[in-house]
Amino acid sequence: MNLTERIAGTRLERAAEMLIEGKLIAFPTETVFGLGADATRSPSVARIFEAKGRPSDNPLIVHLASVDQLPIVAGEIPEVAWGLLESFSPGPLTLVLKKQPAIGPLVTAGLETVAVRIPAHPVAHRLLELCRLPIAAPSANRSGKPSGTTWQSVLEDLDGRIDGIVCEDGCWLGIESTVLDLSRSAPRILRQGAITHEQLAAHLKMDREPAFSEPGAILSPGTRHPHYRPQGRVQIVDPMNLPSSDRSRAFIGLDPPKSNTLSWVRIVHDVPAYAASLYEFLRECDRHGIEEIYCQSVDDQGLGRALMDRLERAAGLK
Ligand code: TXA
Ligand code: MG
């Protein structure tokens, strides 16, 4: 068991120095916390998989401070990538591109492609600028659990398993980035996220929205594994028609539920607020030993589509 150093947001030089030494540092991004290490050092990257208990066939996203660093990690950068980066970066868009040899097989799980993102969170951005390294960073949670959107939640999973954490919050989006594969002939969304399929379709001037990968396809290795699962059983519900149960129950959604036997109710005012609070709500349910977690379904459009994807995975439906 190592000691995990708590680093204030005002001491990012310390966190950068540790990354340069090959250490593992958790830091906030606008989506969720990332667990970062130098993407060019295999032993450090191997420790990320160990700390998370992550299957080695699930590749990592490489984070950069700016587009100038892109040629270090990506081999072929199509014109369309530059246009997308100009419109949506820094931000919650991850592009899958052909990789450069500087990025080893552990990061990419043996694929010839690399996933790249330039985060917008000022803490993440400053840290990446200070260390000037490509930083491999999956979400900072034990594999299979809901991602961490507060530093306390990250420590709940990873205290003693990682070298340091930047103790600043502000994961304002709350669900992970959109992953878009540009390494093939047609752009393909591998994971829904805060940059919506409608935005991408409009930008790419496609009549149809960018295709989704078929479930379980090798293109999107991470989506095969269980994700976002709390201890309690998640069910996607209509608040007017909750299932009955003798077990302890909690609800999150846009409309007040028709039941007065719930231990805990969380009403969110819109879909972005729902997405931003979901993972912390699921973790909070576990802290209180809630057995049945009811989550209201939302319209399958815009950010709602990404939210439904997370809810379906949390419920074990995908
Ligand atoms: O918002 C986010 O993307 C957060 C923050 C920390 O940046 N990171 C994150 O990482 O969600 P992670 O490891 O939890 O999810 C990475 C996803 C997985 O579904 C993985 O399979 C996919 O990206 N991925 C990574 N590299 C890939 C590649 N070369 N080809 C296809 N999919 C890839
Ligand atoms: Mg993850």
Side-chain angles (χ1 to χ4, degrees):
M1 183 99 166
N2 301 321
L3 192 68
T4 298
E5 191 169 321
R6 275 69 167 161
I7 304 166
T10 48
R11 290 182 56 238
L12 288 179
E13 290 76 9
R14 171 69 186 143
E17 180 187 288
M18 289 174 77
L19 284 170
I20 292 166
E21 287 166 3
K23 302 266 168 63
L24 256 55
I25 303 290
F27 58 93
T29 83
E30 69 278 23
T31 58
V32 298
F33 266 76
L35 175 57
D38 180 349
T40 64
R41 281 206 202 199
S42 300
S44 304
V45 174
R47 282 191 58 215
I48 294 182
F49 284 90
E50 203 181 295
K52 279 184 61 98
R54 182 177 176 107
S56 59
D57 64 351
N58 191 1
L60 308 178
I61 296 174
V62 176
H63 295 66
L64 304 176
S66 75
V67 287
D68 323 341
Q69 293 170 297
L70 199 54
I72 306 170
V73 297
E76 274 170 41
I77 308 167
E79 208 48 48
V80 61
W82 294 114
L84 285 160
L85 290 167
E86 204 172 301
S87 298
F88 301 112
S89 224
L93 180 65
T94 295
L95 299 180
V96 174
L97 301 165
K98 295 262 158 52
K99 80 172 187 75
Q100 281 286 24
I103 301 301
L106 273 183
V107 174
T108 65
L111 298 174
E112 281 310 306
T113 55
V114 62
V116 193
R117 171 161 118 79
I118 302 171
H121 193 298
V123 168
H125 180 74
R126 183 77 190 124
L127 181 59
L128 291 163
E129 238 177 23
L130 286 168
C131 70
R132 293 307 296 173
L133 287 169
I135 296 293
S139 51
N141 51 282
R142 288 283 287 170
S143 205
K145 289 190 62 176
S147 306
T149 52
T150 65
W151 59 267
Q152 292 90 341
S153 289
V154 173
L155 285 175
E156 209 167 61
D157 279 17
L158 299 176
D159 200 5
R161 294 176 173 271
I162 62 176
D163 301 304
I165 179 166
V166 179
C167 297
E168 277 277 325
D169 279 342
C171 301
W172 64 84
L173 297 169
I175 56 175
E176 302 81 353
S177 62
T178 306
V179 180
L180 183 70
D181 186 359
L182 296 180
S183 69
R184 300 167 172 263
S185 49
R188 188 179 271 264
I189 295 178
L190 302 184
R191 181 175 70 186
Q192 299 287 340
I195 304 296
T196 65
H197 56 285
E198 290 94 341
Q199 282 175 293
L200 291 174
H203 179 95
L204 297 167
K205 300 193 175 54
M206 296 175 93
D207 314 332
R208 293 181 309 114
E209 62 194 41
F212 293 93
S213 63
E214 354 20 294
I218 190 71
L219 294 174
S220 178
T223 54
R224 275 201 307 260
H225 302 288
H227 266 82
Y228 321 119
R229 303 251 179 101
Q231 302 288 317
R233 182 163 73 119
V234 174
Q235 291 184 65
I236 302 173
V237 298
D238 167 359
M240 286 311 167
N241 196 10
L242 294 189
S244 56
S245 166
D246 307 334
R247 306 170 62 165
S248 56
R249 309 184 308 154
F251 171 90
I252 185 170
L254 299 161
D255 305 305
K258 206 176 149 197
S259 164
N260 50 13
T261 60
L262 292 158
S263 311
W264 188 26
V265 173
R266 176 85 199 266
I267 305 299
V268 283
H269 56 85
D270 56 17
V271 170
Y274 194 167
S277 30
L278 177 67
Y279 292 147
E280 196 52 30
F281 176 79
L282 297 178
R283 284 176 169 273
E284 201 56 33
C285 286
D286 277 354
R287 288 177 200 128
H288 290 92
I290 301 288
E291 295 162 295
E292 302 278 336
I293 306 171
Y294 300 144
C295 302
Q296 181 172 358
S297 69
V298 297
D299 288 344
D300 198 27
Q301 54 177 306
L303 183 62
R305 186 171 288 195
L307 180 56
M308 282 307 289
D309 169 70
R310 303 312 190 268
L311 292 176
E312 284 165 9
R313 289 179 195 281
L317 301 175
K318 274 185 171 174

